[in-house]
Amino acid sequence: MTSGQTLYDKLWNEHLVVQRGDGSALIYIDRHLLHEVTSPQAFSGLKLAGRKPWRIDANLATPDHNVPTQDRDKPIVDEISRIQVQTLDENCAEWGITEFKMNDIRQGIVHVIGPEQGATLPGMTIVCGDSHTATHGAFAALAQGIGTSEVEHVLATQCLSQQKMKNYLVKVKGHLQPGVYSKDLILAIIGKIGTAGGNGYAMEFAGEAISDLSMEARMTLCNMAIEAGARVGLIAVDDKTIEYVKGRPFAPQGEQWIAAEKYWRTLVSDAHAVFDCVVEINASELIPQVSWGTSPEMVVAINARLPDPSDCAEKAESWQRAYDYMGLKPGMSMNDVTPDRVFIGSCTNSRIEDLRIAASVIKGRKKSPQVKQVLVVPGSGLVKQQAEAEGLDKIFIAADFEWREPGCSMCLAMNADRLQDKEHCASTSNRNFEGRQGYGGRTHLVSPAMAAAAAIAGKFVDVREFI
Amino acid sequence: MQAFTTLTGIVAPLDRANVDTDQIIPKQFLKSIARTGFGQNLFDEWRYLDEGQPGEDCSNRPKNPAFILNQSPYDQAQILLTRRNFGCGSSREHAPWALLEFGFRCVIAPSFADIFYNNCFKNGILPIILSEAQIESLFQQVLACKGEKFSVDLDKQILTMGVGDQLSFSVDSFYKERLLKGLDDIGVTLEQADAIRFYENKRKQERPWLFQ
Ligand code: SF4
């Protein structure tokens, strides 16, 4: 057990409370993030059973899914949304859980604020009633999405009852070319292994191209591990991890920092660690990606033609259904598709670097008149503040983009921001499922650079030729 | 949680792969703070021809006659037969809540998304994994014989088709025990509260920065 452990093995062993005879285990949870959608039934279940939270200070909450992205000085107009957000406020107040409320500058998408606050630390176990909790794995934290029953379980016991997953390694050789980002990389990985490829696995990303990535780009990558079927995404600790965490509000200081850093440096897979599955990708050859269908595995390189269902008997039916829903045809080029709206935001791509990249693409240009609306939704109040300090908001506004308040927004359209029936959207979010961004809406997943370029060009273009 | 021991029910074939949780229960219904009321909105975008609103009475909405669950006798189905990677996407437990409220106690597929699979067990739904070939033959059988009933025996881990053919399936003992007895997971874990406290105290010593 001492040699040849993967990063996941190490994190699992470190948090093992009880190993049960039936193969399941109790693992201890260091951080529990909460938002308004998946927590109310957990809190009410807790109360109904006469139980109370095990450890208040492990919890951190914020409303994100339902919050409007404008007129935040007024109460939420949608009554059901308002009640849900109020319920989170009430539950947090009742138990004394720290919450960044809607108009707190620290409020934002739960997966953006964790790392931003240093509430996400290397070596932690992190859970949240949200599948994109995989994001936090970029910090070598064992982070996973859970259902509401498990939210209640973690609240009541500080543990998760589960079985160990298998180990998956995605090894990325080479270096990403300019104009190609970690979003393109993860879309290509999902295109290659499929949305069920990582089922049952914790997925570690390693290799030259991963070392190159900034922490924010790594978060984008781990964020979408779930779209590859893996509940957990992971990246080893290196200097960038340590640098990023340093000085953040919840991060340790002084002697504790020294002890923590020493431990964090061990959070890498051993040289001889054994993985149950290994996939290699060459980053150098990668071309910007765009999704054409209704599953994140339905992606193409921007310069490729859309695939022909008759070339793949196994998937022919689902591809045809996707073409019908999307109003597209095999053999088409994405250059022929006009996005009606563009969405730059979500826990995948709403951090300051994403906004800088988008702004750099559009600087001095204007939204195409063919595009009805471009929403730029920062991931948190602090991201928004930083962007404004750098003048990025002015660049967006000058290009006729809309600069909004932080939240999930049109990633899943639980608030007022949404697509109309049959509208196409260039979106930096993570899911292109039917109706995800609005009833009948058609989502195309892209990087922030590609989304920005599409907004200006009025069609999907290769951002490398556009800059 | 409701225990699951045996079940005999009509099998509804849903011939789609990668059915995601946004399809099982669209996001607008997630605004509810209750645990019930989701059954009428199960597969909302496929089941109805208009866009559903939360809190709305669905009895007068136009239904899509082509959708399997709108057809008799599948509107009474308790077993859902479907394709690979069922339940992918978000972690919303509203998905199994909606399935359960509609009447489903069992879903049979070649594979499930991890979080959904786990969420099923927490709600008394048995997800059964069979090979692609087995699933294919079950589809043929169910399509050939409308209203076909299957029987499931969790203890014996046996699925019996209407014609009497039997298939065995595997399920981890961890899940099986809980489901058979309808155990309260939290109660089971709290029996080990001392072990949790012991671990926590040790962790406070070793990794004090996590307890600031
Ligand atoms: S931004 Fe989208 S994917 Fe991320 S937590 Fe919010 S709704 Fe979920």
Side-chain angles (χ1 to χ4, degrees):
Chain A
M1 286 299 280
T2 47
S3 69
Q5 291 186 90
T6 65
L7 171 55
Y8 172 67
D9 295 338
K10 290 182 184 181
L11 292 168
W12 174 272
N13 292 337
E14 163 92 8
H15 291 88
L16 195 61
V17 177
V18 177
Q19 176 67 55
R20 297 178 176 134
D22 60 7
S24 74
L26 284 183
I27 61 165
Y28 188 80
I29 301 304
D30 297 314
R31 176 71 67 209
H32 185 197
L33 301 168
L34 295 140
H35 63 82
E36 78 278 19
V37 181
T38 53
S39 66
Q41 296 90 347
F43 279 111
S44 55
L46 201 67
K47 202 174 245 180
L48 211 65
R51 294 176 174 134
K52 55 182 185 13
W54 180 280
R55 193 184 138 205
I56 301 293
D57 70 332
N59 297 282
L60 179 64
T62 197
D64 53 6
H65 285 62
N66 276 278
V67 297
T69 57
Q70 48 194 2
D71 299 328
R72 289 268 274 261
D73 48 340
K74 303 191 189 85
I76 302 176
V77 179
D78 179 340
E79 195 195 342
I80 323 181
S81 289
R82 191 173 66 239
I83 292 172
Q84 198 166 54
V85 171
Q86 275 170 359
T87 305
L88 180 69
D89 294 349
E90 287 162 15
N91 284 322
C92 290
E94 178 175 356
W95 297 111
I97 291 170
T98 305
E99 183 197 5
F100 300 150
K101 290 193 187 166
M102 189 169 84
N103 286 326
D104 190 312
I105 184 85
R106 298 165 296 178
Q107 177 268 344
I109 305 171
V110 69
H111 309 306
V112 173
I113 70 164
E116 185 172 80
Q117 292 294 325
T120 296
L121 294 174
M124 273 183 164
T125 39
I126 302 176
V127 295
C128 174
D130 193 284
S131 60
H132 289 100
T133 311
T135 311
H136 310 262
F139 292 81
L142 174 50
Q144 54 191 311
I146 56 178
T148 295
S149 295
E150 288 178 321
V151 169
E152 187 180 335
H153 189 279
V154 171
L155 280 171
T157 70
Q158 212 51 46
C159 288
L160 201 55
S161 166
Q162 67 173 190
Q163 285 166 300
K164 199 173 171 210
M165 300 170 206
K166 289 179 287 181
N167 284 289
Y168 200 121
L169 178 64
V170 179
K171 211 170 178 177
V172 192
K173 294 187 304 191
H175 305 280
L176 291 171
Q177 299 301 307
V180 186
Y181 300 92
S182 65
K183 180 64 165 285
D184 301 299
L185 178 57
I186 187 65
L187 286 172
I189 291 169
I190 298 163
K192 184 176 168 115
I193 70 172
T195 50
N199 282 4
Y201 291 94
M203 183 176 283
E204 180 172 347
F205 302 94
E208 291 170 306
I210 307 300
S211 307
D212 289 350
L213 296 177
S214 70
M215 287 312 293
E216 298 195 355
R218 292 177 189 181
M219 285 186 245
T220 302
L221 198 66
C222 288
N223 173 273
M224 289 188 72
I226 187 71
E227 265 62 63
R231 197 169 175 175
V232 166
L234 282 170
I235 293 174
V237 166
D238 64 7
D239 292 344
K240 286 181 183 167
T241 323
I242 305 286
E243 269 315 301
Y244 191 93
V245 171
K246 202 168 195 169
R248 298 198 176 257
F250 286 65
Q253 292 171 349
E255 284 191 4
Q256 295 216 353
W257 171 266
I258 295 167
E261 184 184 339
K262 186 161 171 252
Y263 166 58
W264 294 342
R265 295 271 180 194
T266 68
L267 298 174
V268 295
S269 285
D270 295 333
H272 300 293
V274 180
F275 288 85
D276 303 282
C277 184
V278 180
V279 163
E280 287 202 17
I281 304 254
N282 187 347
S284 311
E285 295 162 1
L286 203 68
I287 285 166
Q289 304 280 306
V290 50
S291 77
W292 60 268
T294 54
S295 163
E297 68 185 25
M298 297 173 181
V299 290
V300 286
I302 183 66
N303 59 2
R305 297 266 155 193
L306 300 192
D308 191 340
S310 59
D311 292 343
C312 181
E314 190 197 336
K315 294 188 173 159
E317 220 181 304
S318 54
W319 283 7
Q320 193 51 55
R321 192 175 281 132
Y323 276 121
D324 293 345
Y325 180 85
M326 297 297 287
L328 301 176
K329 291 203 163 50
M332 275 178 78
S333 158
M334 283 306 294
N335 294 138
D336 299 331
V337 179
T338 301
D340 299 283
R341 293 176 205 266
V342 175
F343 172 62
I344 299 175
S346 89
C347 56
T348 314
N349 284 125
S350 64
R351 298 177 178 84
I352 190 67
E353 288 178 15
D354 299 313
L355 302 185
R356 284 181 191 139
I357 290 165
S360 73
V361 171
I362 65 157
K363 196 166 184 179
R365 309 198 215 195
K366 271 201 185 308
K367 168 179 86 64
S368 158
Q370 279 173 289
V371 176
K372 290 179 206 158
Q373 182 184 44
V374 184
L375 286 184
V376 187
V377 184
S380 72
L382 290 168
V383 170
K384 181 166 186 264
Q385 191 179 50
Q386 177 65 28
E388 288 172 356
E390 296 177 21
L392 304 183
D393 58 325
K394 299 213 172 55
I395 298 174
F396 292 127
I397 293 164
D400 292 336
F401 289 16
E402 295 176 32
W403 179 241
R404 296 291 188 92
E405 301 291 337
C408 295
S409 178
M410 211 160 72
C411 172
L412 98 162
M414 265 184 96
N415 68 357
D417 310 333
R418 62 188 64 174
L419 300 180
Q420 299 300 309
D421 197 15
K422 299 197 168 43
E423 281 183 346
H424 289 266
C425 179
S427 178
T428 65
S429 57
N430 43 54
R431 288 184 176 141
N432 51 353
F433 299 151
E434 290 180 24
R436 170 85 178 179
Q437 294 192 288
Y439 185 76
R442 296 159 165 173
T443 303
H444 300 280
L445 305 173
V446 285
S447 71
M450 286 285 285
I456 302 296
K459 57 184 185 168
F460 288 93
V461 289
D462 187 338
V463 69
R464 295 172 307 164
E465 291 158 20
F466 190 79
I467 328 173
Chain B
M1 182 190 74
Q2 211 180 342
F4 186 111
T5 49
T6 59
L7 169 74
T8 298
I10 294 169
V11 187
L14 182 66
D15 196 359
R16 294 188 187 221
N18 287 320
V19 173
D20 58 77
T21 53
D22 278 80
Q23 251 46 69
I24 300 174
I25 181 88
K27 73 287 196 133
Q28 63 268 37
F29 307 110
L30 273 49
K31 294 181 186 184
S32 166
I33 57 169
R35 220 182 168 108
T36 53
F38 301 106
Q40 62 169 1
N41 301 112
L42 176 71
F43 298 120
D44 201 86
E45 291 178 9
W46 294 339
R47 215 158 127 206
Y48 302 97
L49 294 169
D50 63 347
E51 181 181 358
Q53 300 304 332
E56 177 189 22
D57 174 11
C58 293
S59 53
N60 294 321
R61 291 176 59 197
K63 284 193 174 170
N64 173 9
F67 186 59
I68 186 88
L69 297 185
N70 286 332
Q71 299 163 8
S72 175
Y74 300 118
D75 52 352
Q76 302 296 321
Q78 288 178 283
I79 299 173
L80 187 67
L81 176 66
T82 185
R83 301 287 185 180
R84 74 179 168 90
N85 203 27
F86 187 80
C88 60
S90 94
S91 66
R92 62 188 71 164
E93 203 161 311
H94 314 67
W97 295 339
L99 284 163
L100 191 66
E101 207 171 297
F102 183 90
F104 288 113
R105 294 294 315 276
C106 176
V107 186
I108 307 175
S111 59
F112 292 90
D114 292 350
I115 303 178
F116 175 83
Y117 184 76
N118 194 41
N119 281 345
C120 280
F121 286 104
K122 308 276 179 202
N123 290 282
I125 297 176
L126 174 65
I128 296 180
I129 300 172
L130 295 172
S131 71
E132 291 274 2
Q134 287 172 321
I135 295 290
E136 181 54 39
S137 89
L138 292 186
F139 262 100
Q140 307 239 339
Q141 190 167 330
V142 169
L143 290 172
C145 179
K146 193 173 174 180
E148 167 101 348
K149 285 189 176 176
F150 286 0
S151 296
V152 183
D153 185 327
L154 174 57
D155 188 34
K156 297 203 179 83
Q157 296 179 215
I158 286 190
L159 178 68
T160 308
M161 272 66 80
V163 286
D165 290 352
Q166 295 195 321
L167 284 176
S168 66
F169 59 88
S170 56
V171 54
D172 280 316
S173 55
F174 158 61
Y175 285 126
K176 181 176 168 178
E177 280 309 301
R178 280 172 173 66
L179 200 50
L180 277 174
K181 297 186 183 133
L183 290 179
D184 162 25
D185 251 331
I186 297 177
V188 174
T189 298
L190 285 176
E191 285 170 20
Q192 285 170 312
D194 287 344
I196 302 171
R197 256 179 235 114
F198 179 79
Y199 174 91
E200 199 169 50
N201 286 329
K202 189 169 70 108
R203 193 154 181 75
K204 257 183 220 168
Q205 306 298 318
E206 288 172 3
R207 316 273 183 237
W209 61 87
L210 295 171
F211 294 84
Q212 291 173 343

